[in-house]
Each structure stands twice: as C-alpha cells, then as structure tokens.
C-alpha cells in the first residue's frame, strides 16, 4: 500500500516520456529549409484558376431572385390570411340580397332550414321580440 508521504510524481521523475534533445529548435528553420527541394517562388505563387461556367456566373442572381420571390409570396400569404373587410350587407346597396329576402320560398327553403326552432326562439328572446309577442296575446 502507498504511504501518504510517498508521491507518485517522485516515482516517475516528473517526466512524461516526450523529450527533445537540447538545442533542437535553435537551428530548426535552417535545417528544414536545407531539406526542402529548391523551387522558384514566382512559379509557386501563380494559381491556376479554372474558367467559371455559366451557372457559376448566374447563380448569385438566381438566388437573389428566388429570395425576392419568396418574400413576395410570403407577403401575399399574409395578405390572404388577414381578415377581410366586412361586406356591406344592407338591402339598399345589394339588390340581389333584397330580392332573395323578399322571396318567401327562398327564405323558407334556405334560411329557415339552416336554423332549428330552438335557435330561432333563443335569438328572438335575445332580441326581445318574444316578450312583445307574448304580451300581445295576453291583451286579446
């Protein structure tokens, strides 16, 4: 068992196993330059650029047009989703509506069939027309 006074680092002599000979990095640049093959620096600096294709030239403009088209479509969708202005349903401005409501067969076939008797009575109670009707019967 290890005694508390014994230090593990004393056993390994504070070395991690990676050592470099003394003075190794002092002339490292000169030795590395002597090992590389000679070449002309002007030739090494010139880059060979392949010619750009038509798509490579047009691609930024196509992406820009697609972005603007996407923004336009998004604005159209927002415009479609906003609540529409309430149409004017007065009889004076809409003769078709006035003619349809004045026709008893239209009202009986289309309007009254969409509501139950309970809904009509409930709406009449809210409007206050049922009380007037009940009181009129009591007077007779």
């Amino acid at each position: 068992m290890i005694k508390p006074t014994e230090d593990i680092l004393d056993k390994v002599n504070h070395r991690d196993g990676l050592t470099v000979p003394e003075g190794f990095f002092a002339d490292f640049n000169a030795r590395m330059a002597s090992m590389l093959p000679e070449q002309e620096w002007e030739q090494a600096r010139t880059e060979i650029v392949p010619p750009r294709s038509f798509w490579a030239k047009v691609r930024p403009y196509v992406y820009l047009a697609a972005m603007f088209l996407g923004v336009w479509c998004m604005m159209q969708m927002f415009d479609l989703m906003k609540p529409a202005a309430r149409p004017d349903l007065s009889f004076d401005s809409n003769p078709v509506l006035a003619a349809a409501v004045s026709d008893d067969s239209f009202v009986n076939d289309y309007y009254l069939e969409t509501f139950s008797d309970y809904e009509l009575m409930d709406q009449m109670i809210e409007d206050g027309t049922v009380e007037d009707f009940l009181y009129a019967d009591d007077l007779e």
Side-chain angles (χ1 to χ4, degrees):
M1 209 162 174
I2 299 176
K3 297 179 186 175
T5 58
E6 290 182 20
D7 192 13
I8 295 176
L9 293 176
D10 289 337
K11 288 185 176 183
V12 293
N13 298 327
H14 296 283
R15 290 188 168 176
D16 59 358
L18 302 174
T19 58
V20 177
E22 206 167 308
F24 179 77
F25 289 109
D27 59 345
F28 180 77
N29 289 340
R31 284 186 291 130
M32 181 60 77
S34 67
M35 289 183 201
L36 293 174
E38 292 292 327
Q39 66 180 21
E40 292 183 28
W41 290 106
E42 292 299 320
Q43 184 182 14
R45 275 191 266 176
T46 58
E47 296 179 11
I48 300 172
V49 179
R52 293 177 61 193
S53 66
F54 177 73
W55 174 246
K57 293 176 186 176
V58 175
R59 182 175 30 200
Y61 301 109
V62 171
Y63 290 164
L64 187 67
M67 188 230 9
F68 280 118
L69 183 64
V71 169
W72 181 80
C73 287
M74 182 178 60
M75 297 304 288
Q76 291 296 320
M77 289 303 297
F78 288 151
D79 189 44
L80 288 174
M81 289 189 298
K82 76 176 181 181
R86 190 169 190 156
D88 186 20
L89 296 178
S90 64
F91 295 124
D92 299 334
S93 64
N94 195 343
V96 175
L97 184 62
V101 172
S102 65
D103 185 15
D104 287 339
S105 64
F106 175 81
V107 171
N108 290 334
D109 292 341
Y110 295 103
Y111 184 71
L112 294 179
E113 284 186 5
T114 59
F115 298 105
S116 67
D117 292 337
Y118 179 77
E119 290 175 328
L120 287 175
M121 189 62 112
D122 191 36
Q123 186 65 39
M124 289 173 67
I125 290 171
E126 286 181 13
D127 293 342
T129 56
V130 172
E131 287 85 9
D132 296 337
F133 180 72
L134 292 176
Y135 293 135
D137 285 344
D138 291 340
L139 295 174
E140 291 180 3

